[in-house]
Amino acid sequence: MRDAGLRIAIASSAKKDELDKYLDIARITELVDVATSSDDVEESKPAPDVFEVALKKLKIEGSDAVAPYDAMGAGKAKVATIGVLCGGFTESSLRRAGCVEVYPAPATLFARVGLRGRKNDGSFIMRCGEISTGS
């Protein structure tokens, strides 16, 4: 992803100390350019605040980002959202929530953006243009 010029931001409703632990456990700390937590905002998800702070830190607009997993918060920050069916929501409910694309599992999404073999269950933001949301 770095070779493609993509940057990763974690926009989490966890407290900062919890988020740091999760990033360490997932062994992805070094992959994250920007992290925001509930400690950085007045309102956490589903409010858009954590996404807005992440966008500000990345110095990009919401229209220049994609966020998997959180259609409500990301959508309010004008970030296109990609849904994944493994969370118990139906494709139609994810699309109604604003997802521009829906994948059956994280592995399918990661294969689509070149993250084969890497598991990541956290939220992240990627610059648009580097990822095709079409079929």
Side-chain angles (χ1 to χ4, degrees), residues 17-118:
D17 62 332
E18 294 171 342
L19 177 57
D20 290 344
K21 283 182 194 176
Y22 298 146
L23 295 174
D24 188 49
I25 290 167
R27 297 184 183 148
I28 61 170
T29 303
E30 73 284 354
L31 299 176
V32 177
D33 298 296
V34 169
T36 61
S37 70
S38 61
D39 293 342
D40 297 318
V41 297
E42 287 188 34
E43 281 191 70
S44 192
K45 296 178 187 178
D49 301 23
V50 291
F51 290 100
E52 291 168 347
V53 171
L55 292 166
K56 187 174 182 176
K57 287 181 178 182
L58 289 170
K59 298 180 182 164
I60 63 172
E61 299 293 320
S63 60
D64 292 326
V66 177
Y69 310 125
D70 191 338
M72 290 182 68
K76 291 175 187 174
K78 309 262 189 287
V79 174
T81 307
I82 296 172
V84 181
L85 293 176
C86 64
F89 296 98
T90 64
E91 181 173 353
S92 61
S93 68
L94 290 170
R95 292 204 183 271
R96 278 193 309 275
C99 290
V100 297
E101 191 67 31
V102 177
Y103 291 92
T108 312
L109 168 61
F110 298 150
R112 178 76 176 216
V113 296
L115 293 175
R116 290 176 184 87
R118 189 98 169 130

